[in-house]
Amino acid sequence: DEHHSITISIGVSQLPDEFAGNDDVAIIEKLLGTADGALYQAKESGRNRVCLAASNYGSERAAAPFV
């Protein structure tokens, strides 16, 4: 029997309500950028982590990770 372990790191970003329904490419790219920053923060924090992007829209800095 061979055993395999899988780990996951997740970065989450939230679109503020005032931008809901807006399909502006710049807003979408910024949202993906903040999620990407949170993903790298999760990876740097260890295995099996989820990090939320800072609540200040436009910030690339991620909040503290949680499991």
Side-chain angles (χ1 to χ4, degrees):
D1 252 347
E2 199 171 319
H3 179 76
H4 297 282
S5 294
I6 297 174
T7 63
I8 188 168
S9 299
I10 299 173
V12 179
S13 184
Q14 181 178 349
L15 186 66
D17 289 340
E18 63 264 23
F19 296 112
N22 188 329
D23 61 356
D24 182 9
V25 173
I27 292 172
I28 295 168
E29 287 176 348
K30 191 65 172 176
L31 182 65
L32 291 174
T34 57
D36 192 50
L39 170 61
Y40 282 100
Q41 179 69 30
K43 287 182 175 192
E44 291 174 1
S45 298
R47 295 180 178 172
N48 298 319
R49 302 288 179 157
V50 176
C51 283
L52 299 175
S55 61
N56 182 9
Y57 180 71
S59 174
E60 300 296 332
R61 191 173 51 82
F66 62 91
V67 178

